[in-house]
PDB file of all heavy atoms in Angstrom:
ATOM      1  N   SER N   1     -74.545  -2.523  -0.846  1.00 81.00           N
ATOM      2  CA  SER N   1     -75.846  -2.471  -1.387  1.00 81.00           C
ATOM      3  C   SER N   1     -76.130  -1.132  -2.066  1.00 81.00           C
ATOM      4  O   SER N   1     -76.783  -1.050  -3.139  1.00 81.00           O
ATOM      5  CB  SER N   1     -76.952  -2.725  -0.328  1.00 81.00           C
ATOM      6  OG  SER N   1     -76.848  -1.739   0.664  1.00 81.00           O
ATOM      7  N   VAL N   2     -75.589  -0.081  -1.522  1.00 85.00           N
ATOM      8  CA  VAL N   2     -75.734   1.285  -2.072  1.00 85.00           C
ATOM      9  C   VAL N   2     -74.900   1.410  -3.335  1.00 85.00           C
ATOM     10  O   VAL N   2     -75.208   2.037  -4.327  1.00 85.00           O
ATOM     11  CB  VAL N   2     -75.403   2.346  -1.081  1.00 85.00           C
ATOM     12  CG1 VAL N   2     -75.551   3.770  -1.610  1.00 85.00           C
ATOM     13  CG2 VAL N   2     -76.235   2.161   0.217  1.00 85.00           C
ATOM     14  N   GLN N   3     -73.679   0.789  -3.319  1.00 86.00           N
ATOM     15  CA  GLN N   3     -72.882   0.779  -4.560  1.00 86.00           C
ATOM     16  C   GLN N   3     -73.617   0.293  -5.770  1.00 86.00           C
ATOM     17  O   GLN N   3     -73.592   0.882  -6.847  1.00 86.00           O
ATOM     18  CB  GLN N   3     -71.604  -0.133  -4.300  1.00 86.00           C
ATOM     19  CG  GLN N   3     -70.622   0.514  -3.385  1.00 86.00           C
ATOM     20  CD  GLN N   3     -69.317  -0.404  -3.235  1.00 86.00           C
ATOM     21  OE1 GLN N   3     -69.126  -1.311  -4.027  1.00 86.00           O
ATOM     22  NE2 GLN N   3     -68.470  -0.076  -2.309  1.00 86.00           N
ATOM     23  N   ALA N   4     -74.345  -0.858  -5.562  1.00 87.00           N
ATOM     24  CA  ALA N   4     -75.090  -1.406  -6.673  1.00 87.00           C
ATOM     25  C   ALA N   4     -76.108  -0.472  -7.159  1.00 87.00           C
ATOM     26  O   ALA N   4     -76.307  -0.335  -8.460  1.00 87.00           O
ATOM     27  CB  ALA N   4     -75.765  -2.748  -6.214  1.00 87.00           C
ATOM     28  N   GLN N   5     -76.841   0.273  -6.353  1.00 87.00           N
ATOM     29  CA  GLN N   5     -77.776   1.271  -6.786  1.00 87.00           C
ATOM     30  C   GLN N   5     -77.161   2.386  -7.578  1.00 87.00           C
ATOM     31  O   GLN N   5     -77.656   2.768  -8.620  1.00 87.00           O
ATOM     32  CB  GLN N   5     -78.457   1.872  -5.521  1.00 87.00           C
ATOM     33  CG  GLN N   5     -79.276   0.833  -4.707  1.00 87.00           C
ATOM     34  CD  GLN N   5     -79.880   1.492  -3.527  1.00 87.00           C
ATOM     35  OE1 GLN N   5     -79.873   2.722  -3.323  1.00 87.00           O
ATOM     36  NE2 GLN N   5     -80.327   0.695  -2.523  1.00 87.00           N
ATOM     37  N   VAL N   6     -75.986   2.938  -7.142  1.00 89.00           N
ATOM     38  CA  VAL N   6     -75.346   4.001  -7.853  1.00 89.00           C
ATOM     39  C   VAL N   6     -74.765   3.545  -9.190  1.00 89.00           C
ATOM     40  O   VAL N   6     -74.883   4.212 -10.216  1.00 89.00           O
ATOM     41  CB  VAL N   6     -74.251   4.608  -6.962  1.00 89.00           C
ATOM     42  CG1 VAL N   6     -73.402   5.587  -7.719  1.00 89.00           C
ATOM     43  CG2 VAL N   6     -74.823   5.223  -5.713  1.00 89.00           C
ATOM     44  N   LEU N   7     -74.232   2.294  -9.212  1.00 90.00           N
ATOM     45  CA  LEU N   7     -73.665   1.776 -10.419  1.00 90.00           C
ATOM     46  C   LEU N   7     -74.795   1.507 -11.486  1.00 90.00           C
ATOM     47  O   LEU N   7     -74.596   1.736 -12.676  1.00 90.00           O
ATOM     48  CB  LEU N   7     -72.890   0.491 -10.200  1.00 90.00           C
ATOM     49  CG  LEU N   7     -71.620   0.645  -9.438  1.00 90.00           C
ATOM     50  CD1 LEU N   7     -70.967  -0.714  -9.079  1.00 90.00           C
ATOM     51  CD2 LEU N   7     -70.547   1.521 -10.147  1.00 90.00           C
ATOM     52  N   ASN N   8     -75.933   0.996 -11.055  1.00 90.00           N
ATOM     53  CA  ASN N   8     -77.050   0.844 -11.909  1.00 90.00           C
ATOM     54  C   ASN N   8     -77.516   2.210 -12.471  1.00 90.00           C
ATOM     55  O   ASN N   8     -77.906   2.253 -13.635  1.00 90.00           O
ATOM     56  CB  ASN N   8     -78.170   0.082 -11.210  1.00 90.00           C
ATOM     57  CG  ASN N   8     -77.877  -1.428 -10.964  1.00 90.00           C
ATOM     58  OD1 ASN N   8     -77.034  -2.006 -11.614  1.00 90.00           O
ATOM     59  ND2 ASN N   8     -78.452  -1.951  -9.887  1.00 90.00           N
ATOM     60  N   LEU N   9     -77.563   3.165 -11.613  1.00 90.00           N
ATOM     61  CA  LEU N   9     -77.938   4.505 -12.047  1.00 90.00           C
ATOM     62  C   LEU N   9     -76.953   5.049 -13.122  1.00 90.00           C
ATOM     63  O   LEU N   9     -77.442   5.555 -14.175  1.00 90.00           O
ATOM     64  CB  LEU N   9     -77.941   5.490 -10.817  1.00 90.00           C
ATOM     65  CG  LEU N   9     -78.028   6.931 -11.188  1.00 90.00           C
ATOM     66  CD1 LEU N   9     -79.396   7.215 -11.870  1.00 90.00           C
ATOM     67  CD2 LEU N   9     -77.852   7.800  -9.953  1.00 90.00           C
ATOM     68  N   MET N  10     -75.695   4.864 -12.986  1.00 91.00           N
ATOM     69  CA  MET N  10     -74.698   5.359 -13.901  1.00 91.00           C
ATOM     70  C   MET N  10     -74.832   4.654 -15.248  1.00 91.00           C
ATOM     71  O   MET N  10     -74.750   5.223 -16.307  1.00 91.00           O
ATOM     72  CB  MET N  10     -73.247   5.160 -13.380  1.00 91.00           C
ATOM     73  CG  MET N  10     -72.989   6.053 -12.136  1.00 91.00           C
ATOM     74  SD  MET N  10     -71.364   5.862 -11.486  1.00 91.00           S
ATOM     75  CE  MET N  10     -70.408   6.713 -12.727  1.00 91.00           C
ATOM     76  N   GLN N  11     -75.087   3.322 -15.227  1.00 92.00           N
ATOM     77  CA  GLN N  11     -75.291   2.493 -16.429  1.00 92.00           C
ATOM     78  C   GLN N  11     -76.606   2.949 -17.201  1.00 92.00           C
ATOM     79  O   GLN N  11     -76.641   3.109 -18.413  1.00 92.00           O
ATOM     80  CB  GLN N  11     -75.325   1.066 -16.166  1.00 92.00           C
ATOM     81  CG  GLN N  11     -73.983   0.518 -15.797  1.00 92.00           C
ATOM     82  CD  GLN N  11     -74.042  -1.004 -15.599  1.00 92.00           C
ATOM     83  OE1 GLN N  11     -74.703  -1.484 -14.685  1.00 92.00           O
ATOM     84  NE2 GLN N  11     -73.323  -1.687 -16.354  1.00 92.00           N
ATOM     85  N   ASP N  12     -77.623   3.294 -16.366  1.00 92.00           N
ATOM     86  CA  ASP N  12     -78.878   3.696 -16.956  1.00 92.00           C
ATOM     87  C   ASP N  12     -78.715   5.018 -17.608  1.00 92.00           C
ATOM     88  O   ASP N  12     -79.296   5.290 -18.718  1.00 92.00           O
ATOM     89  CB  ASP N  12     -79.974   3.739 -15.852  1.00 92.00           C
ATOM     90  CG  ASP N  12     -81.270   4.192 -16.378  1.00 92.00           C
ATOM     91  OD1 ASP N  12     -81.821   3.496 -17.281  1.00 92.00           O
ATOM     92  OD2 ASP N  12     -81.875   5.225 -15.872  1.00 92.00           O
ATOM     93  N   LEU N  13     -77.987   6.008 -16.961  1.00 91.00           N
ATOM     94  CA  LEU N  13     -77.798   7.252 -17.564  1.00 91.00           C
ATOM     95  C   LEU N  13     -76.960   7.185 -18.865  1.00 91.00           C
ATOM     96  O   LEU N  13     -77.163   7.917 -19.769  1.00 91.00           O
ATOM     97  CB  LEU N  13     -77.056   8.148 -16.556  1.00 91.00           C
ATOM     98  CG  LEU N  13     -77.850   8.569 -15.312  1.00 91.00           C
ATOM     99  CD1 LEU N  13     -76.949   9.257 -14.304  1.00 91.00           C
ATOM    100  CD2 LEU N  13     -79.023   9.450 -15.706  1.00 91.00           C
ATOM    101  N   GLN N  14     -76.080   6.213 -18.882  1.00 92.00           N
ATOM    102  CA  GLN N  14     -75.320   6.076 -20.120  1.00 92.00           C
ATOM    103  C   GLN N  14     -76.107   5.484 -21.244  1.00 92.00           C
ATOM    104  O   GLN N  14     -76.062   6.021 -22.450  1.00 92.00           O
ATOM    105  CB  GLN N  14     -74.116   5.047 -19.859  1.00 92.00           C
ATOM    106  CG  GLN N  14     -73.181   4.933 -21.084  1.00 92.00           C
ATOM    107  CD  GLN N  14     -71.989   4.064 -20.764  1.00 92.00           C
ATOM    108  OE1 GLN N  14     -72.093   2.979 -20.241  1.00 92.00           O
ATOM    109  NE2 GLN N  14     -70.810   4.573 -21.076  1.00 92.00           N
ATOM    110  N   ASP N  15     -77.053   4.588 -20.941  1.00 92.00           N
ATOM    111  CA  ASP N  15     -78.000   4.063 -21.955  1.00 92.00           C
ATOM    112  C   ASP N  15     -78.926   5.134 -22.434  1.00 92.00           C
ATOM    113  O   ASP N  15     -79.175   5.221 -23.692  1.00 92.00           O
ATOM    114  CB  ASP N  15     -78.724   2.855 -21.378  1.00 92.00           C
ATOM    115  CG  ASP N  15     -77.910   1.644 -21.083  1.00 92.00           C
ATOM    116  OD1 ASP N  15     -76.825   1.557 -21.615  1.00 92.00           O
ATOM    117  OD2 ASP N  15     -78.254   0.841 -20.184  1.00 92.00           O
ATOM    118  N   ARG N  16     -79.434   6.017 -21.560  1.00 90.00           N
ATOM    119  CA  ARG N  16     -80.406   6.941 -21.977  1.00 90.00           C
ATOM    120  C   ARG N  16     -79.785   8.248 -22.570  1.00 90.00           C
ATOM    121  O   ARG N  16     -80.395   8.822 -23.504  1.00 90.00           O
ATOM    122  CB  ARG N  16     -81.286   7.372 -20.752  1.00 90.00           C
ATOM    123  CG  ARG N  16     -82.224   6.281 -20.312  1.00 90.00           C
ATOM    124  CD  ARG N  16     -83.292   6.816 -19.286  1.00 90.00           C
ATOM    125  NE  ARG N  16     -82.712   7.035 -17.937  1.00 90.00           N
ATOM    126  CZ  ARG N  16     -82.715   8.235 -17.424  1.00 90.00           C
ATOM    127  NH1 ARG N  16     -83.174   9.314 -17.986  1.00 90.00           N
ATOM    128  NH2 ARG N  16     -82.159   8.413 -16.211  1.00 90.00           N
ATOM    129  N   LEU N  17     -78.694   8.620 -22.020  1.00 90.00           N
ATOM    130  CA  LEU N  17     -78.133   9.956 -22.471  1.00 90.00           C
ATOM    131  C   LEU N  17     -76.807   9.826 -23.206  1.00 90.00           C
ATOM    132  O   LEU N  17     -76.333  10.884 -23.749  1.00 90.00           O
ATOM    133  CB  LEU N  17     -77.830  10.815 -21.157  1.00 90.00           C
ATOM    134  CG  LEU N  17     -78.993  11.000 -20.240  1.00 90.00           C
ATOM    135  CD1 LEU N  17     -78.573  11.758 -19.013  1.00 90.00           C
ATOM    136  CD2 LEU N  17     -80.177  11.679 -20.889  1.00 90.00           C
ATOM    137  N   GLY N  18     -76.267   8.617 -23.382  1.00 92.00           N
ATOM    138  CA  GLY N  18     -75.025   8.433 -24.128  1.00 92.00           C
ATOM    139  C   GLY N  18     -73.779   9.050 -23.423  1.00 92.00           C
ATOM    140  O   GLY N  18     -72.869   9.444 -24.154  1.00 92.00           O
ATOM    141  N   VAL N  19     -73.789   9.089 -22.112  1.00 94.00           N
ATOM    142  CA  VAL N  19     -72.686   9.648 -21.371  1.00 94.00           C
ATOM    143  C   VAL N  19     -71.480   8.786 -21.532  1.00 94.00           C
ATOM    144  O   VAL N  19     -71.567   7.531 -21.526  1.00 94.00           O
ATOM    145  CB  VAL N  19     -73.008   9.864 -19.924  1.00 94.00           C
ATOM    146  CG1 VAL N  19     -71.873  10.431 -19.140  1.00 94.00           C
ATOM    147  CG2 VAL N  19     -74.279  10.744 -19.735  1.00 94.00           C
ATOM    148  N   THR N  20     -70.264   9.333 -21.643  1.00 95.00           N
ATOM    149  CA  THR N  20     -69.083   8.637 -21.669  1.00 95.00           C
ATOM    150  C   THR N  20     -68.387   8.696 -20.323  1.00 95.00           C
ATOM    151  O   THR N  20     -68.318   9.804 -19.660  1.00 95.00           O
ATOM    152  CB  THR N  20     -68.058   9.227 -22.712  1.00 95.00           C
ATOM    153  OG1 THR N  20     -68.794   9.248 -23.992  1.00 95.00           O
ATOM    154  CG2 THR N  20     -66.770   8.484 -22.905  1.00 95.00           C
ATOM    155  N   TYR N  21     -67.827   7.581 -19.836  1.00 96.00           N
ATOM    156  CA  TYR N  21     -67.261   7.535 -18.438  1.00 96.00           C
ATOM    157  C   TYR N  21     -65.758   7.172 -18.536  1.00 96.00           C
ATOM    158  O   TYR N  21     -65.341   6.327 -19.198  1.00 96.00           O
ATOM    159  CB  TYR N  21     -67.954   6.452 -17.599  1.00 96.00           C
ATOM    160  CG  TYR N  21     -69.316   6.780 -17.233  1.00 96.00           C
ATOM    161  CD1 TYR N  21     -70.366   5.838 -17.504  1.00 96.00           C
ATOM    162  CD2 TYR N  21     -69.661   7.911 -16.512  1.00 96.00           C
ATOM    163  CE1 TYR N  21     -71.685   6.141 -17.163  1.00 96.00           C
ATOM    164  CE2 TYR N  21     -70.993   8.176 -16.114  1.00 96.00           C
ATOM    165  CZ  TYR N  21     -71.972   7.310 -16.468  1.00 96.00           C
ATOM    166  OH  TYR N  21     -73.281   7.513 -16.044  1.00 96.00           O
ATOM    167  N   LEU N  22     -65.014   7.979 -17.790  1.00 96.00           N
ATOM    168  CA  LEU N  22     -63.669   7.527 -17.433  1.00 96.00           C
ATOM    169  C   LEU N  22     -63.703   7.157 -15.977  1.00 96.00           C
ATOM    170  O   LEU N  22     -63.885   8.003 -15.085  1.00 96.00           O
ATOM    171  CB  LEU N  22     -62.660   8.681 -17.565  1.00 96.00           C
ATOM    172  CG  LEU N  22     -61.145   8.390 -17.165  1.00 96.00           C
ATOM    173  CD1 LEU N  22     -60.573   7.256 -18.112  1.00 96.00           C
ATOM    174  CD2 LEU N  22     -60.204   9.566 -17.308  1.00 96.00           C
ATOM    175  N   PHE N  23     -63.691   5.860 -15.678  1.00 95.00           N
ATOM    176  CA  PHE N  23     -64.052   5.332 -14.402  1.00 95.00           C
ATOM    177  C   PHE N  23     -62.810   4.848 -13.700  1.00 95.00           C
ATOM    178  O   PHE N  23     -62.201   3.835 -14.094  1.00 95.00           O
ATOM    179  CB  PHE N  23     -65.063   4.115 -14.606  1.00 95.00           C
ATOM    180  CG  PHE N  23     -65.851   3.795 -13.383  1.00 95.00           C
ATOM    181  CD1 PHE N  23     -67.166   4.236 -13.240  1.00 95.00           C
ATOM    182  CD2 PHE N  23     -65.334   2.958 -12.343  1.00 95.00           C
ATOM    183  CE1 PHE N  23     -67.877   3.970 -12.052  1.00 95.00           C
ATOM    184  CE2 PHE N  23     -66.034   2.664 -11.269  1.00 95.00           C
ATOM    185  CZ  PHE N  23     -67.357   3.149 -11.106  1.00 95.00           C
ATOM    186  N   ILE N  24     -62.534   5.521 -12.580  1.00 93.00           N
ATOM    187  CA  ILE N  24     -61.278   5.198 -11.801  1.00 93.00           C
ATOM    188  C   ILE N  24     -61.731   4.445 -10.570  1.00 93.00           C
ATOM    189  O   ILE N  24     -62.454   4.934  -9.778  1.00 93.00           O
ATOM    190  CB  ILE N  24     -60.519   6.452 -11.461  1.00 93.00           C
ATOM    191  CG1 ILE N  24     -60.055   7.153 -12.790  1.00 93.00           C
ATOM    192  CG2 ILE N  24     -59.382   6.246 -10.571  1.00 93.00           C
ATOM    193  CD1 ILE N  24     -59.500   8.507 -12.585  1.00 93.00           C
ATOM    194  N   SER N  25     -61.065   3.233 -10.379  1.00 90.00           N
ATOM    195  CA  SER N  25     -61.397   2.483  -9.249  1.00 90.00           C
ATOM    196  C   SER N  25     -60.280   1.522  -8.931  1.00 90.00           C
ATOM    197  O   SER N  25     -59.443   1.138  -9.790  1.00 90.00           O
ATOM    198  CB  SER N  25     -62.764   1.683  -9.536  1.00 90.00           C
ATOM    199  OG  SER N  25     -63.096   0.911  -8.480  1.00 90.00           O
ATOM    200  N   HIS N  26     -60.216   1.059  -7.655  1.00 85.00           N
ATOM    201  CA  HIS N  26     -59.383  -0.091  -7.322  1.00 85.00           C
ATOM    202  C   HIS N  26     -60.200  -1.456  -7.124  1.00 85.00           C
ATOM    203  O   HIS N  26     -59.674  -2.455  -6.907  1.00 85.00           O
ATOM    204  CB  HIS N  26     -58.750   0.208  -5.928  1.00 85.00           C
ATOM    205  CG  HIS N  26     -59.697   0.202  -4.788  1.00 85.00           C
ATOM    206  ND1 HIS N  26     -60.393   1.352  -4.435  1.00 85.00           N
ATOM    207  CD2 HIS N  26     -60.051  -0.710  -3.963  1.00 85.00           C
ATOM    208  CE1 HIS N  26     -61.214   1.119  -3.402  1.00 85.00           C
ATOM    209  NE2 HIS N  26     -60.973  -0.151  -3.042  1.00 85.00           N
ATOM    210  N   ASP N  27     -61.537  -1.296  -7.287  1.00 84.00           N
ATOM    211  CA  ASP N  27     -62.399  -2.476  -7.204  1.00 84.00           C
ATOM    212  C   ASP N  27     -62.597  -3.070  -8.498  1.00 84.00           C
ATOM    213  O   ASP N  27     -63.268  -2.549  -9.396  1.00 84.00           O
ATOM    214  CB  ASP N  27     -63.727  -2.018  -6.617  1.00 84.00           C
ATOM    215  CG  ASP N  27     -64.664  -3.161  -6.174  1.00 84.00           C
ATOM    216  OD1 ASP N  27     -64.532  -4.237  -6.796  1.00 84.00           O
ATOM    217  OD2 ASP N  27     -65.381  -2.996  -5.269  1.00 84.00           O
ATOM    218  N   LEU N  28     -62.011  -4.218  -8.765  1.00 86.00           N
ATOM    219  CA  LEU N  28     -62.038  -4.922 -10.057  1.00 86.00           C
ATOM    220  C   LEU N  28     -63.494  -5.314 -10.437  1.00 86.00           C
ATOM    221  O   LEU N  28     -63.802  -5.331 -11.586  1.00 86.00           O
ATOM    222  CB  LEU N  28     -61.066  -6.100 -10.093  1.00 86.00           C
ATOM    223  CG  LEU N  28     -59.627  -5.696  -9.746  1.00 86.00           C
ATOM    224  CD1 LEU N  28     -58.746  -6.958  -9.727  1.00 86.00           C
ATOM    225  CD2 LEU N  28     -59.084  -4.693 -10.747  1.00 86.00           C
ATOM    226  N   ALA N  29     -64.258  -5.745  -9.480  1.00 85.00           N
ATOM    227  CA  ALA N  29     -65.583  -6.163  -9.703  1.00 85.00           C
ATOM    228  C   ALA N  29     -66.446  -5.040 -10.297  1.00 85.00           C
ATOM    229  O   ALA N  29     -67.295  -5.220 -11.219  1.00 85.00           O
ATOM    230  CB  ALA N  29     -66.275  -6.816  -8.468  1.00 85.00           C
ATOM    231  N   VAL N  30     -66.223  -3.898  -9.773  1.00 87.00           N
ATOM    232  CA  VAL N  30     -66.970  -2.662 -10.240  1.00 87.00           C
ATOM    233  C   VAL N  30     -66.533  -2.362 -11.652  1.00 87.00           C
ATOM    234  O   VAL N  30     -67.341  -2.086 -12.502  1.00 87.00           O
ATOM    235  CB  VAL N  30     -66.692  -1.454  -9.289  1.00 87.00           C
ATOM    236  CG1 VAL N  30     -67.115  -0.144  -9.880  1.00 87.00           C
ATOM    237  CG2 VAL N  30     -67.350  -1.719  -7.955  1.00 87.00           C
ATOM    238  N   VAL N  31     -65.342  -2.404 -11.918  1.00 90.00           N
ATOM    239  CA  VAL N  31     -64.801  -2.073 -13.294  1.00 90.00           C
ATOM    240  C   VAL N  31     -65.292  -3.113 -14.317  1.00 90.00           C
ATOM    241  O   VAL N  31     -65.719  -2.699 -15.422  1.00 90.00           O
ATOM    242  CB  VAL N  31     -63.212  -2.062 -13.283  1.00 90.00           C
ATOM    243  CG1 VAL N  31     -62.671  -1.881 -14.704  1.00 90.00           C
ATOM    244  CG2 VAL N  31     -62.763  -0.859 -12.421  1.00 90.00           C
ATOM    245  N   ASP N  32     -65.321  -4.376 -13.892  1.00 89.00           N
ATOM    246  CA  ASP N  32     -65.802  -5.376 -14.775  1.00 89.00           C
ATOM    247  C   ASP N  32     -67.293  -5.191 -15.095  1.00 89.00           C
ATOM    248  O   ASP N  32     -67.710  -5.464 -16.217  1.00 89.00           O
ATOM    249  CB  ASP N  32     -65.614  -6.785 -14.083  1.00 89.00           C
ATOM    250  CG  ASP N  32     -65.908  -7.938 -14.978  1.00 89.00           C
ATOM    251  OD1 ASP N  32     -65.899  -7.715 -16.235  1.00 89.00           O
ATOM    252  OD2 ASP N  32     -66.134  -9.026 -14.505  1.00 89.00           O
ATOM    253  N   LEU N  33     -68.011  -4.645 -14.171  1.00 88.00           N
ATOM    254  CA  LEU N  33     -69.428  -4.429 -14.384  1.00 88.00           C
ATOM    255  C   LEU N  33     -69.706  -3.226 -15.293  1.00 88.00           C
ATOM    256  O   LEU N  33     -70.637  -3.205 -16.098  1.00 88.00           O
ATOM    257  CB  LEU N  33     -70.157  -4.206 -13.069  1.00 88.00           C
ATOM    258  CG  LEU N  33     -71.678  -3.876 -13.099  1.00 88.00           C
ATOM    259  CD1 LEU N  33     -72.495  -5.083 -13.576  1.00 88.00           C
ATOM    260  CD2 LEU N  33     -72.164  -3.487 -11.669  1.00 88.00           C
ATOM    261  N   VAL N  34     -68.930  -2.161 -15.156  1.00 90.00           N
ATOM    262  CA  VAL N  34     -69.268  -0.834 -15.753  1.00 90.00           C
ATOM    263  C   VAL N  34     -68.553  -0.705 -17.060  1.00 90.00           C
ATOM    264  O   VAL N  34     -69.109  -0.020 -17.970  1.00 90.00           O
ATOM    265  CB  VAL N  34     -68.982   0.245 -14.786  1.00 90.00           C
ATOM    266  CG1 VAL N  34     -69.128   1.635 -15.397  1.00 90.00           C
ATOM    267  CG2 VAL N  34     -69.837   0.188 -13.553  1.00 90.00           C
ATOM    268  N   CYS N  35     -67.334  -1.106 -17.246  1.00 93.00           N
ATOM    269  CA  CYS N  35     -66.448  -0.625 -18.303  1.00 93.00           C
ATOM    270  C   CYS N  35     -66.395  -1.527 -19.508  1.00 93.00           C
ATOM    271  O   CYS N  35     -66.445  -2.788 -19.388  1.00 93.00           O
ATOM    272  CB  CYS N  35     -65.054  -0.415 -17.736  1.00 93.00           C
ATOM    273  SG  CYS N  35     -65.002   0.839 -16.401  1.00 93.00           S
ATOM    274  N   ASP N  36     -66.118  -0.918 -20.640  1.00 93.00           N
ATOM    275  CA  ASP N  36     -65.931  -1.662 -21.920  1.00 93.00           C
ATOM    276  C   ASP N  36     -64.437  -2.031 -22.111  1.00 93.00           C
ATOM    277  O   ASP N  36     -64.157  -2.962 -22.767  1.00 93.00           O
ATOM    278  CB  ASP N  36     -66.429  -0.781 -23.137  1.00 93.00           C
ATOM    279  CG  ASP N  36     -67.795  -0.322 -22.994  1.00 93.00           C
ATOM    280  OD1 ASP N  36     -68.709  -1.183 -22.712  1.00 93.00           O
ATOM    281  OD2 ASP N  36     -68.108   0.900 -23.098  1.00 93.00           O
ATOM    282  N   GLU N  37     -63.547  -1.176 -21.519  1.00 95.00           N
ATOM    283  CA  GLU N  37     -62.160  -1.425 -21.704  1.00 95.00           C
ATOM    284  C   GLU N  37     -61.430  -1.019 -20.394  1.00 95.00           C
ATOM    285  O   GLU N  37     -62.004  -0.153 -19.683  1.00 95.00           O
ATOM    286  CB  GLU N  37     -61.523  -0.623 -22.879  1.00 95.00           C
ATOM    287  CG  GLU N  37     -60.134  -0.972 -23.244  1.00 95.00           C
ATOM    288  CD  GLU N  37     -59.689  -0.336 -24.546  1.00 95.00           C
ATOM    289  OE1 GLU N  37     -60.445   0.522 -25.053  1.00 95.00           O
ATOM    290  OE2 GLU N  37     -58.557  -0.616 -25.050  1.00 95.00           O
ATOM    291  N   VAL N  38     -60.275  -1.568 -20.099  1.00 96.00           N
ATOM    292  CA  VAL N  38     -59.566  -1.254 -18.874  1.00 96.00           C
ATOM    293  C   VAL N  38     -58.084  -1.062 -19.168  1.00 96.00           C
ATOM    294  O   VAL N  38     -57.516  -1.754 -19.988  1.00 96.00           O
ATOM    295  CB  VAL N  38     -59.722  -2.444 -17.926  1.00 96.00           C
ATOM    296  CG1 VAL N  38     -59.042  -2.180 -16.575  1.00 96.00           C
ATOM    297  CG2 VAL N  38     -61.175  -2.811 -17.660  1.00 96.00           C
ATOM    298  N   ILE N  39     -57.540  -0.078 -18.476  1.00 96.00           N
ATOM    299  CA  ILE N  39     -56.102   0.099 -18.453  1.00 96.00           C
ATOM    300  C   ILE N  39     -55.638  -0.127 -16.996  1.00 96.00           C
ATOM    301  O   ILE N  39     -56.304   0.312 -16.021  1.00 96.00           O
ATOM    302  CB  ILE N  39     -55.612   1.396 -19.022  1.00 96.00           C
ATOM    303  CG1 ILE N  39     -56.138   2.611 -18.206  1.00 96.00           C
ATOM    304  CG2 ILE N  39     -55.999   1.527 -20.450  1.00 96.00           C
ATOM    305  CD1 ILE N  39     -55.537   3.892 -18.577  1.00 96.00           C
ATOM    306  N   VAL N  40     -54.429  -0.775 -16.886  1.00 96.00           N
ATOM    307  CA  VAL N  40     -53.900  -1.045 -15.514  1.00 96.00           C
ATOM    308  C   VAL N  40     -52.665  -0.103 -15.396  1.00 96.00           C
ATOM    309  O   VAL N  40     -51.764  -0.193 -16.169  1.00 96.00           O
ATOM    310  CB  VAL N  40     -53.513  -2.555 -15.400  1.00 96.00           C
ATOM    311  CG1 VAL N  40     -52.972  -2.797 -14.029  1.00 96.00           C
ATOM    312  CG2 VAL N  40     -54.690  -3.434 -15.699  1.00 96.00           C
ATOM    313  N   LEU N  41     -52.661   0.640 -14.296  1.00 95.00           N
ATOM    314  CA  LEU N  41     -51.552   1.569 -14.002  1.00 95.00           C
ATOM    315  C   LEU N  41     -50.717   0.975 -12.925  1.00 95.00           C
ATOM    316  O   LEU N  41     -51.236   0.518 -11.924  1.00 95.00           O
ATOM    317  CB  LEU N  41     -52.040   2.985 -13.572  1.00 95.00           C
ATOM    318  CG  LEU N  41     -52.615   3.883 -14.631  1.00 95.00           C
ATOM    319  CD1 LEU N  41     -52.952   5.225 -13.971  1.00 95.00           C
ATOM    320  CD2 LEU N  41     -51.601   4.099 -15.733  1.00 95.00           C
ATOM    321  N   TYR N  42     -49.346   1.086 -13.059  1.00 94.00           N
ATOM    322  CA  TYR N  42     -48.422   0.782 -12.028  1.00 94.00           C
ATOM    323  C   TYR N  42     -47.323   1.780 -12.048  1.00 94.00           C
ATOM    324  O   TYR N  42     -46.606   1.976 -13.072  1.00 94.00           O
ATOM    325  CB  TYR N  42     -47.832  -0.625 -12.181  1.00 94.00           C
ATOM    326  CG  TYR N  42     -46.871  -1.040 -11.126  1.00 94.00           C
ATOM    327  CD1 TYR N  42     -47.389  -1.331  -9.853  1.00 94.00           C
ATOM    328  CD2 TYR N  42     -45.555  -1.078 -11.270  1.00 94.00           C
ATOM    329  CE1 TYR N  42     -46.546  -1.626  -8.774  1.00 94.00           C
ATOM    330  CE2 TYR N  42     -44.685  -1.357 -10.240  1.00 94.00           C
ATOM    331  CZ  TYR N  42     -45.196  -1.713  -9.014  1.00 94.00           C
ATOM    332  OH  TYR N  42     -44.329  -2.043  -7.974  1.00 94.00           O
TER     333      TYR N  42
END
């Protein structure tokens, strides 16, 4: 539940301030929600 609040905050800051994110995560649902493009590392 707290994850959703923080992710919504980050998206809101991007909309208002134009911040660019390099978002590193192992949670695919989070990446799907936040990111415009994805790279997969192995």
Side-chain angles (χ1 to χ4, degrees):
S1 59
V2 182
Q3 286 184 12
Q5 296 174 15
V6 173
L7 293 174
N8 289 336
L9 168 64
M10 296 180 70
Q11 289 183 298
D12 180 59
L13 292 172
Q14 186 175 50
D15 294 338
R16 288 193 287 120
L17 305 177
V19 180
T20 304
Y21 290 121
L22 179 63
F23 199 97
I24 295 171
S25 179
H26 67 275
D27 191 327
L28 301 177
V30 169
V31 172
D32 190 17
L33 177 67
V34 175
C35 300
D36 305 307
E37 191 173 6
V38 182
I39 62 174
V40 182
L41 285 184
Y42 182 72

